[in-house]
Amino acid sequence: GIQVEQSPPDLILQEGANSTLRCNFSDSVNNLQWFHQNPWGQLINLFYIPSGTKQNGRLSATTVATERYSLLYISSSQTTDSGVYFCAVRGNDYKLSFGAGTTVTVRA
Amino acid sequence: KAGVTQTPRYLIKTRGQQVTLSCSPISGHRSVSWYQQTPGQGLQFLFEYFSETQRNKGNFPGRFSGRQFSNSRSEMNVSTLELGDSALYLCASSLITSLNPLDTQYFGPGTRLTVL
């Protein structure tokens, strides 16, 4: 299956700071999603973004499919942004493969 | 519209027992996928069902099985439980299984299984 690497593995931010999370993948993909997992384990959809750029409030994402990477931007971070962010991709085998995640801690 | 629901939310079993987990997708969604999340292995794909047919399967032993009913609800069964099966089991649904935005996966809250 497709290999998915996320960086950094951990990120500690002061409230109000901006950050960038990266997702690299090893092959062409048909589906790329970013999720936020809250402390209770719920995976929340952030973006469906196999290519291009999208924005939703303080979050935005860009995927450059030809270079096999995606970026998630968090601006003006808040404590509620804490949690684990996952990138997941689906290739031609139709299996959704997840990265190991980036654990974000936002301190007040 | 109600989200994906999973029952039960928590489960404690002993080695050798079997367990059945249930997932009800978002109304109108026909694809249901199952994932296992553990601290060591992360999130791993188990299988995907679409219109009662298994469309895809991950690399798990035959002890892990599933099915989908005509109303798109799905069940996952694990037989002869092992300690290593302790995990958060997540179910996701999507409108279709294809190569477009309708393939967006929506996850349920999960079932946390503990095997003693």
Side-chain angles (χ1 to χ4, degrees):
Chain A
I2 295 179
Q3 304 303 308
V4 184
E5 292 184 359
Q6 291 186 244
S7 60
D10 299 281
L11 196 55
I12 299 176
L13 303 169
Q14 203 62 34
E15 200 168 30
N18 302 328
S19 63
T20 301
L21 282 59
R22 187 177 179 102
C23 171
N24 292 333
F25 42 94
S26 61
D27 204 345
S28 58
V29 298
N30 303 300
N31 175 343
L32 187 149
Q33 289 186 250
W34 283 97
F35 296 92
H36 175 216
Q37 189 168 39
N38 64 24
W40 298 272
Q42 175 80 55
L43 275 167
I44 299 163
N45 283 47
L46 298 176
F47 295 102
Y48 172 93
I49 187 165
S51 63
T53 297
K54 288 186 178 179
Q55 180 158 7
N56 184 2
R58 296 181 296 102
L59 300 180
S60 63
T62 295
T63 297
V64 183
T66 53
E67 297 187 22
R68 299 182 184 167
Y69 73 88
S70 183
L71 302 174
L72 178 69
Y73 306 96
I74 305 174
S75 64
S76 305
S77 57
Q78 300 176 359
T79 55
T80 52
D81 294 330
S82 295
V84 185
Y85 289 79
F86 288 101
C87 167
V89 302
R90 192 196 293 272
N92 291 329
D93 63 359
Y94 279 81
K95 297 178 182 179
L96 198 65
S97 299
F98 282 79
T102 292
T103 300
V104 173
T105 303
V106 182
R107 292 179 173 163
Chain B
K1 187 181 277 191
V4 179
T5 58
Q6 293 186 244
T7 57
R9 294 293 311 279
Y10 301 92
L11 206 48
I12 299 175
K13 292 285 188 178
T14 56
R15 278 180 300 174
Q17 287 187 307
Q18 75 160 10
V19 66
T20 299
L21 311 182
S22 181
C23 172
S24 292
I26 292 171
S27 178
H29 283 196
R30 298 170 63 191
S31 172
V32 174
S33 299
W34 289 89
Y35 301 84
Q36 181 197 65
Q37 185 176 25
T38 60
Q41 300 298 316
L43 274 152
Q44 293 185 287
F45 170 76
L46 279 157
F47 27 65
E48 177 181 14
Y49 287 88
F50 181 78
S51 293
E52 303 178 66
T53 301
Q54 188 179 90
R55 293 292 294 265
N56 218 332
K57 190 176 189 303
N59 298 323
F60 279 81
R63 299 185 298 108
F64 291 81
S65 63
R67 60 178 174 169
Q68 186 180 34
F69 302 96
S70 58
N71 62 358
S72 294
R73 189 178 70 85
S74 177
E75 287 183 346
M76 188 191 109
N77 185 274
V78 188
S79 63
T80 319
L81 284 166
E82 301 177 359
L83 295 179
D85 297 333
S86 294
L88 179 66
Y89 290 88
L90 292 161
C91 164
S93 77
S94 64
L95 193 58
I96 61 174
T97 177
S98 184
L99 310 179
N100 68 47
L102 297 179
D103 181 32
T104 302
Q105 302 279 300
Y106 295 91
F107 281 80
T111 294
R112 193 167 294 278
L113 172 66
T114 301
V115 182
L116 303 176

